[in-house]
Amino acid sequence: MDNNFDVVIIGGGPGGYVCAIRLSQLGLKTACIESRGSLGGTCLNVGCIPSKNLLNLSENFYKAKNFHKIGIEIDNLKLNLKKMMENKNNSVETLTKGVEFLLKKNKVSYFKGTGSFKSKDEILLIDNKKKETIIKTKSTVISSGSKPTHFPGSQFDEKLILSSTGVLNLESVPKKLIIVGGGYIGLEMGSVWSRLGSEVHVVEFMDHITSGMDREISNEFMKILSKQGIKFSLETKVNKILKLSNSVKLETINKDGKNNILEADKVLISIGRKPNTESLQLDKIGVKLDKKGSISVQNNYETSVKNIFAIGDVISGPMLAHKAEEEGIAVAEIIAGQSGHVNYDIIPSVIYTSPEVASVGKTEEDLVSKGQSYKVGKFPFMANSRAKAINDTEGFVKILADNKTDKVLGVHIIGPHAGEIIAEVSVAMEFGASSEDIARTCHAHPTFSEAVKEAALAVEKRQIHS
Ligand code: FAD
Ligand code: NAI
């Protein structure tokens, strides 16, 4: 094989493989190196996809347990966790193979192995049989992603001390699961195991869950999850994790200085992720990192070394698959001489719990801290006819609009299908919509998205149904 390329991408996750496809579409000879043995990165293999599969299956199980309340009676409902995990593994395999097909279709060369810099324009590939190959390239895109942060002094063993990867692969339902960190992973995986029968206890050191989220939504979210049976200890610090033969003990201290011992079958550590840079030999070529260990890049994603670019979780910003994908496309277009661009003001985020939580743009706290004058429109799903028709009425839509211009600055939704509804407002915001634009747009009836229209009407206090 001819190992000379226009661009080599290190890492085949959502950032890397999307970038590779776009580069190839633009006529550049492209290679993608991936070390884990399958494409799709954290997202497809041990992140977005397996977690959403288990969220869906566990929700079905939970709903089925409650079907008798709505006139559907099932005898002998049982959980078959092994089959559930097989279903999850199959969806992962289908999607990762799909990405391999897409690379082939787009004529991207796929190398299995670990890539590192031998020089600025030479990548050393070491495959799983330790065979070494040198790949020459004019430009390189680093998209090596991120990995879970472990608790200080306690490495993951994936038996008692679990990372997000271990918690997606349990062979039995833990009686008691402690989760350190009330963020995305803690709340999604806490929901999964709680629905399947675990007693779930989340320990969070802030005074609220989902830090960075609009506070009103975060408070409502915690109320709903508590009602579902998840226990929370806020403003609580874990000092130490002790492993016993078949369980764990956590020494904690709360804001009043009160010590406590928590015991559980397993503990999930979900306190954030850190950039994955160790295997790349960046110091050999002088690629600089920032204080948090992310690769520093300029506006065009170029690192401190010319023609070496970085995107996705390995650079700063939200660690989200769609953010990595957008950057993958933008950097490909920049390398090809076009003007790729990502609008960081409009990156939606979704937590796939029940109900879902979705946000785009500024939170109320962001606007207050900037001294920006704004109006708020809110509408509860309790007053939405579709939600009422299917007994799914928790949550609300909140729209924040500029006080003078009426431009929509942020939208926050907790409620049924929030993760789908948020796309409507993201598009509206990309087009610079005002709340009146949304309010005057005809929405089909009966749909959950009518709650968005009503919240937009509520910005000027003229909602119809509440
Ligand atoms: P990654 O997906 O991490 O891919 C990087 C790849 O590079 C990896 O496969 C790695 O093996 C490879 N690699 C690293 N170093 C080398 C090397 N030297 N040589 C060769 N290959 C290398 N985001 C969402 O938007 N929605 C979700 O629902 C969601 N759910 C998640 C659930 C969980 C449990 C987790 C852990 C994450 C979730 N995320 C979600 C986050 C999402 O997975 C990441 O933001 C996304 O995968 C980042 O993409 P990336 O391409 O930057 O990196
Ligand atoms: P996170 O940043 O979402 O949440 C971490 C939480 O842990 C925070 O609330 C933080 O205050 C808390 N924390 C940190 N250290 C702590 C400590 N020592 N003790 C107690 N609490 C502590 O990180 P998480 O959940 O690990 O997820 C990592 C990233 O993966 C997310 O930020 C997100 O970018 C991505 N992800 C996205 C998903 C989605 O889009 N639906 C789903 C899962 C992950």
Side-chain angles (χ1 to χ4, degrees):
M1 194 195 268
D2 168 18
N3 284 340
N4 283 288
F5 290 90
D6 291 321
V7 189
V8 169
I9 291 150
I10 305 182
Y17 84 74
V18 167
C19 178
I21 291 172
R22 187 72 190 115
L23 282 163
S24 225
Q25 286 174 347
L26 291 164
L28 292 160
K29 192 180 169 205
T30 307
C32 181
I33 303 176
E34 170 55 59
S35 59
R36 78 168 67 231
S38 62
L39 290 162
T42 303
C43 179
L44 269 61
N45 289 279
V46 291
C48 327
I49 297 307
S51 61
K52 264 79 262 179
N53 177 287
L54 290 183
L55 277 157
N56 178 52
L57 298 181
S58 62
E59 192 178 359
N60 285 340
F61 178 66
Y62 182 81
K63 278 186 177 158
K65 276 210 288 194
N66 290 286
F67 271 163
H68 64 277
K69 295 179 188 159
I70 51 167
I72 303 170
E73 296 186 0
I74 308 172
D75 286 335
N76 294 327
L77 180 72
K78 274 197 307 220
L79 172 68
N80 184 337
L81 187 60
K82 191 163 173 262
K83 219 169 191 172
M84 211 177 247
M85 291 294 173
E86 278 166 16
N87 182 285
K88 175 208 64 173
N89 295 340
N90 287 341
S91 59
V92 168
E93 201 182 322
T94 312
L95 280 162
T96 55
K97 290 245 169 76
V99 173
E100 199 166 331
F101 164 78
L102 286 175
L103 288 198
K104 204 179 257 169
K105 183 178 157 212
N106 284 281
K107 301 191 171 42
V108 174
S109 301
Y110 167 31
F111 291 95
K112 288 190 182 180
T114 302
S116 63
F117 287 95
K118 186 171 159 51
S119 70
K120 214 174 102 17
D121 43 22
E122 286 173 312
I123 307 295
L124 170 66
L125 171 78
I126 305 182
D127 71 12
N128 60 2
K129 290 186 183 121
K130 303 264 178 284
K131 187 175 160 242
E132 297 190 2
T133 309
I134 299 290
I135 302 174
K136 291 198 165 231
T137 183
K138 290 179 193 148
S139 299
T140 304
V141 177
I142 304 169
S143 54
S144 51
S146 63
K147 57 185 178 191
T149 305
H150 66 80
F151 189 82
S154 300
Q155 295 295 333
F156 297 115
D157 63 11
E158 306 299 11
K159 287 193 169 66
L160 297 173
I161 303 181
L162 309 173
S163 71
S164 53
T165 303
V167 82
L168 285 165
N169 286 308
L170 297 180
E171 286 171 2
S172 61
V173 179
K175 197 166 169 316
K176 193 161 178 193
L177 174 66
I178 292 178
I179 296 178
V180 183
Y184 283 72
I185 292 177
L187 302 176
E188 288 190 350
M189 296 319 297
S191 291
V192 166
W193 291 106
S194 165
R195 292 166 187 164
L196 297 180
S198 295
E199 215 180 292
V200 172
H201 185 165
V202 175
V203 181
E204 164 61 55
F205 72 21
M206 305 281 279
D207 64 355
H208 59 283
I209 58 169
T210 51
S211 119
M213 182 184 279
D214 188 274
R215 202 52 183 273
E216 205 178 355
I217 298 273
S218 163
N219 292 344
E220 180 72 9
F221 189 26
M222 191 169 125
K223 232 192 276 167
I224 294 173
L225 291 177
S226 302
K227 243 181 19 196
Q228 292 173 6
I230 297 180
K231 192 173 163 190
F232 290 92
S233 294
L234 301 181
E235 293 183 274
T236 301
K237 186 168 180 277
V238 176
N239 279 337
K240 207 174 190 182
I241 300 178
L242 298 166
K243 280 208 279 181
L244 309 178
S245 56
N246 256 323
S247 61
V248 284
K249 263 191 185 176
L250 275 75
E251 288 178 12
T252 66
I253 182 162
N254 73 7
K255 70 171 188 327
D256 304 319
K258 195 171 165 253
N259 291 300
N260 199 4
I261 302 276
L262 301 175
E263 283 192 61
D265 304 273
K266 294 178 194 298
V267 58
L268 163 65
I269 307 295
S270 48
I271 55 173
R273 295 175 61 81
K274 56 180 183 192
N276 205 359
T277 54
E278 285 89 351
S279 58
L280 298 165
Q281 305 275 357
L282 295 179
D283 41 349
K284 259 195 192 163
I285 49 161
V287 168
K288 291 205 172 70
L289 306 182
D290 66 18
K291 273 189 232 138
K292 290 186 175 161
S294 305
I295 296 180
S296 304
V297 291
Q298 306 162 46
N299 287 344
N300 66 353
Y301 305 102
E302 200 164 34
T303 66
S304 49
V305 178
K306 199 167 165 34
N307 293 332
I308 298 183
F309 300 82
I311 55 163
D313 279 12
V314 80
I315 66 171
S316 66
M319 288 185 170
L320 296 172
H322 41 284
K323 177 254 189 194
E325 291 188 21
E326 293 301 320
E327 289 175 345
I329 289 175
V331 78
E333 292 176 351
I334 289 167
I335 292 170
Q338 300 185 355
S339 36
H341 171 72
V342 177
N343 181 357
Y344 288 97
D345 288 336
I346 305 177
I347 305 240
S349 66
V350 181
I351 304 186
Y352 297 83
T353 43
S354 182
E356 291 182 349
V357 185
S359 295
V360 62
K362 300 278 181 271
T363 64
E364 197 164 351
E365 290 69 34
D366 290 336
L367 299 177
V368 169
S369 73
K370 277 195 179 158
Q372 192 160 350
S373 176
Y374 61 93
K375 303 177 277 187
V376 185
K378 272 192 282 183
F379 190 80
F381 281 100
M382 185 56 101
N384 171 270
S385 53
R386 179 71 177 276
K388 273 190 107 68
I390 65 158
N391 311 317
D392 202 353
T393 53
E394 281 179 316
F396 58 91
V397 177
K398 174 174 178 178
I399 296 184
L400 300 164
D402 187 278
N403 203 21
K404 270 204 199 122
T405 65
D406 192 35
K407 186 176 178 188
V408 177
L409 303 171
V411 180
H412 308 279
I413 308 173
I414 178 164
H417 303 282
E420 299 296 332
I421 302 173
I422 202 75
E424 162 188 350
V425 285
S426 303
V427 172
M429 286 172 72
E430 275 290 355
F431 282 82
S434 61
S435 79
E436 181 166 6
D437 289 327
I438 298 176
R440 290 193 183 276
T441 301
C442 181
H443 286 64
H445 175 76
T447 58
F448 300 110
S449 64
E450 283 175 290
V452 172
K453 178 187 169 91
E454 289 272 6
L457 286 164
V459 170
E460 293 298 342
K461 313 223 173 329
R462 55 193 165 119
Q463 69 275 23
I464 303 293
H465 292 96
S466 74

